[in-house]
Amino acid sequence: MEFSANQFKSYYKEIISMVEEEKNYLCELDRKLGDGDHGVTMSIGWQAVDEKIDNELVEEEDCGKINIMVGKTFLNAVGSSVGPLYATGFMRGAKVVKGKSVIGDNDLAEFWIAFARGIQERGQAEVGDKTMVDTLEPFADKLESVFAETKDFRIAFNEAVEAGEKGMQYTKDIVSKKGRSSRLGERSIGAQDPGATSAYLILATFQNFIKSHTAQVG
Amino acid sequence: MKKLMNDSKDIVEEMIEGYVKAHPDIIRQVPENARALVTSQETRENKVGILVGGGSGHEPGFMGYVGSGMADGVAVGNIFASPSPDPILEVTKNIDKGAGVVYLYGNYAGDVMNFGMAAEMADLEEDIQVGMALATDDVASAPKEEKEKRRGIAGEFFIFKAAGAAADFGYSLEEVVRVANKANDNTRSMGVGLSPCSLPQTGEPSFVLGEDEMEIGLGHHGEPGLEKGKIESADSVTDRLVNDILEDIEINSGEKVAVLVNGLGSTPRMELYVMYRRVEQILNERGIDIYRSYVGDYITSLEMGGASVTLMKLDDELEEAIDHPVNCPMFVQK
């Protein structure tokens, strides 16, 4: 499949509406584990991105520059711990698609793998710590292996999102080991991690986007 | 929850606007970034710059501690959220006097990442040397053998105070970092929560406590503590806090401490002084000498109810630092 710079912008527009819809849900999850602001934080960051897309990025055709700008804008608006994490993800992805206005299956797979691995590296978390890595690592592992086998991004991404979703749901069953919620110990069991959830939502939004906005080839 | 605010999304910007307008002789905004505030007074060449920072909602922490004798600049984050690297870097550029800048902040994942990124940028892009010292004073947040995992709470005030004095004394970057770390190593805090705060954007309480409950060891963003229980008398709560601190750090008879009884935002001074009275009794019984005492709201959590107790064990160097005069809008020591 092909994916253009403008489609990147439309995809980010869909994240912006998704975040507004899920804002309260993410805060609700976070109240059980942190200070209850994850939805607010995501909203602050994506609203800033929204403004960039409508202004500086209107004419931008370089997928790399769009993603660098998205990462930097998000980081600057948010700070917090999600700022550096998501910003690193988008900026690592930007490196893969630098200088390209249209990307193909290979680039897409590499973009999302770099996104997930970048976040993991920045946050230094592992699967089982009850963080966004619980969504992102199984997602990236599955994307890598299925794409190597099939060379079909769409198939690989669908399976990868499914793996990410399972990882997200698994965060309900485990004890938090990172960040502010880590001192909760056993009391954190039963609550789904808000970071794992927002990471899943970002991936699921991309899955829906390519389902409805790109032509199925072959 | 009722709050005096306009649009919740503007609350941090409007607070900063009011603050710099109220105290133009002490603090100003850096034109490049509205969240970067620096001293409006001329600082000495070759003085190590002191940068403090963290989320907003903890006032007087952190912008309240910019002024002579303490910090030269502050990076202000969203409510309870670390500032991003941008304002940190702008403050760094502004307060570097050729001797480098020391970042002082609490040990939270977001702060560690954002301050770390800013330090890398300062080094790579601006050639400014950055030192760092993290506050890890909350004994309730991790066992003693994992002190590096502990969060920073009200004890941050003592660390800012000590490092700010060291920079004022003309110490080098390494020496200021050493004093800040020494202050941190000698400082222990523990808090109790009685009622939650609510974020302006959500209006929802940050945690749930029954009318008759308290949470021992609560963090200053409402992070759960060690245990929840029925509220007890001021003396019994204070005993618990001070005893846990004294089990964590050895303070012998004849040694001196600085004491901070800190309100979290909505606790009356009346209650803080009742607690201080008990702290004094316990220390007095053990022959520990209170060298200086601070009672009031020093690092808060919006309108959270509750308090924390902090002890800093003093030696001659820390004693001199704690004596150093300070003139900040929210804290003056003569």
Side-chain angles (χ1 to χ4, degrees), chain B residues 33-280:
Chain B
N33 192 309
R35 300 284 186 94
L37 312 183
V38 298
T39 173
S40 39
Q41 287 151 353
E42 199 49 49
T43 51
R44 269 191 338 271
E45 278 307 307
N46 279 318
K47 175 188 155 342
V48 170
I50 298 289
L51 188 158
V52 297
S56 46
H58 297 300
E59 293 70 33
F62 301 95
M63 63 182 190
Y65 296 128
V66 173
S68 61
M70 233 158 148
D72 303 296
V74 58
V76 183
N78 289 324
I79 296 166
F80 292 176
S82 167
S84 61
D86 251 35
I88 302 171
L89 189 61
E90 290 304 332
V91 171
T92 308
K93 281 152 67 176
N94 243 276
I95 65 173
D96 177 47
K97 290 285 184 175
V101 174
V102 176
Y103 295 176
L104 304 173
Y105 55 95
N107 185 29
Y108 294 91
D111 291 289
V112 172
M113 283 189 272
N114 285 282
F115 282 91
M117 286 169 91
E120 277 178 35
M121 284 147 88
D123 178 33
L124 280 172
E125 296 167 19
E126 310 294 336
D127 229 358
I128 300 172
Q129 218 193 332
V130 169
M132 291 200 220
L134 280 71
T136 58
D137 55 306
D138 184 2
V139 299
S141 59
K144 192 178 180 180
E145 52 280 9
E146 293 173 30
K147 188 175 191 297
E148 75 289 345
K149 287 190 185 166
R150 285 178 175 173
R151 55 194 177 218
I153 54 170
E156 286 174 18
F157 169 74
F158 282 150
I159 294 151
F160 300 168
K161 175 94 189 60
D168 238 18
F169 296 154
Y171 287 19
S172 69
L173 186 80
E174 291 70 27
E175 287 285 282
V176 173
V177 171
R178 180 187 60 77
V179 171
N181 282 328
K182 182 180 180 182
N184 182 52
D185 289 343
N186 284 287
T187 300
R188 297 289 188 285
S189 305
M190 189 154 144
V192 59
L194 300 186
S195 61
C197 59
S198 64
L199 296 179
Q201 297 97 329
T202 65
E204 297 290 332
S206 54
F207 56 90
V208 184
L209 268 184
E211 229 351 88
D212 58 346
E213 284 181 322
M214 64 175 181
E215 175 125 3
I216 288 279
L218 183 94
H220 72 184
H221 307 98
E223 297 95 330
L226 296 171
E227 63 217 45
K228 210 182 249 193
K230 284 251 181 283
I231 187 157
E232 292 169 20
S233 69
D235 282 1
S236 138
V237 171
T238 309
D239 286 353
R240 170 72 195 272
L241 301 182
V242 177
N243 287 334
D244 276 20
I245 288 171
L246 291 174
E247 261 173 39
D248 203 82
I249 182 170
E250 198 185 322
I251 307 177
N252 298 314
S253 172
E255 289 189 299
K256 293 178 191 173
V257 291
V259 177
L260 165 63
V261 176
N262 174 57
L264 294 177
S266 70
T267 305
R269 297 288 166 109
M270 176 187 274
E271 294 170 30
L272 300 181
Y273 279 107
V274 170
M275 289 177 76
Y276 180 81
R277 164 190 154 277
R278 184 62 175 178
V279 175
E280 194 277 336

Side-chain angles (χ1 to χ4, degrees), chain A residues 197-212:
Chain A
T197 309
S198 69
Y200 165 72
L201 290 171
I202 284 172
L203 303 175
T205 304
F206 194 75
Q207 187 184 23
N208 286 332
F209 184 84
I210 54 174
K211 216 177 267 169
S212 53

